């Protein structure tokens, strides 16, 4: 991640983290807050990785002292569970390993799950007769309610990264 977790949103304004050409010089960036950073771990694409990833993200947020609201943590952990579950169920054949990344900025937290399967998932409409298939729809809804952002991107190696970024403080209703 180019901006190393800094800035007001989940993504830098441009690839270099610089202002657009012709813009005034930006003031120097403040020193990172103690909880800011990017952490990444890999796991096998098996069912046991789902709770392990969820616990690892929760423990990381606690260990780093991230000032994140409890309701945001709960939504974030559900997102992690859904994204890892999707990678295990739909990508394990072509991607026996998955990667989970947590990026924490001054005002937001972003989680992503990367696998090597080229298929780009889409959110399915709710089908009350099915017991599964609504994970990405759930991720989108949790993200929307929190005033966050989520997306799917292709990797240079032909796989994909599914990510969601949420503000550290809950959305006012």
């Amino acid at each position: 991640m180019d901006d190393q977790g800094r800035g007001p949103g989940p993504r830098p304004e441009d690839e270099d983290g610089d202002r657009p050409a012709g813009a005034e010089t930006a003031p120097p960036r403040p020193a990172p807050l103690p909880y800011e950073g990017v952490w990444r771990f890999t796991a096998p694409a098996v069912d046991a990785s789902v709770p392990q990833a969820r616990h690892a993200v929760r423990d990381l947020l606690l260990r780093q002292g991230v000032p994140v609201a409890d309701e945001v943590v709960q939504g974030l952990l559900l997102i992690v569970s859904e994204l890892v579950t999707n990678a295990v169920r739909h990508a394990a054949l072509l991607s026996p390993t998955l990667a989970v990344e947590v990026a924490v900025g001054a005002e937001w937290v972003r989680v992503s799950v990367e696998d090597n399967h080229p298929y780009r998932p889409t959110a399915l409409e709710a089908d009350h007769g099915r017991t599964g298939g609504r994970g990405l729809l759930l991720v989108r809804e949790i993200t929307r309610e929190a005033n966050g952002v989520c997306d799917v991107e292709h990797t240079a190696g032909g796989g994909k990264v599914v990510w969601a970024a949420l503000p550290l403080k809950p959305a006012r209703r």
Side-chain angles (χ1 to χ4, degrees), residues 28-129:
R29 288 187 178 188
L33 296 168
Y35 58 83
E36 289 184 276
V38 178
W39 297 267
R40 183 178 176 91
F41 60 91
T42 59
V46 296
D47 289 337
S49 293
V50 177
Q52 289 172 351
R54 187 176 55 246
H55 295 303
V57 170
R58 183 198 62 209
D59 294 347
L60 172 71
L61 296 173
L62 288 171
R63 184 175 62 249
Q64 293 304 122
V66 178
V68 61
D70 287 340
E71 68 184 75
V72 175
V73 171
Q74 295 308 313
L76 194 67
L77 296 179
L78 184 53
I79 289 170
V80 169
S81 293
E82 291 297 331
L83 295 182
V84 173
T85 297
N86 284 351
V88 167
R89 286 191 181 158
H90 304 294
L93 185 62
L94 295 179
S95 183
T97 303
L98 57 92
V100 177
E101 185 174 279
V102 180
V104 182
E107 299 176 9
W108 54 269
V109 58
R110 178 183 190 246
V111 294
S112 62
V113 175
E114 180 178 339
D115 63 58
N116 292 322
H117 196 291
Y119 172 71
R120 182 182 174 107
T122 56
L124 301 175
E125 293 300 318
D127 178 354
H128 299 291

Side-chain angles (χ1 to χ4, degrees), residues 126-147:
D127 178 354
H128 299 291
R130 293 180 57 180
T131 57
R134 293 185 287 271
L136 196 54
L137 191 65
L138 183 59
V139 167
R140 284 187 177 170
E141 186 61 23
I142 292 167
T143 304
R144 185 190 63 77
E145 285 184 11
N147 286 337

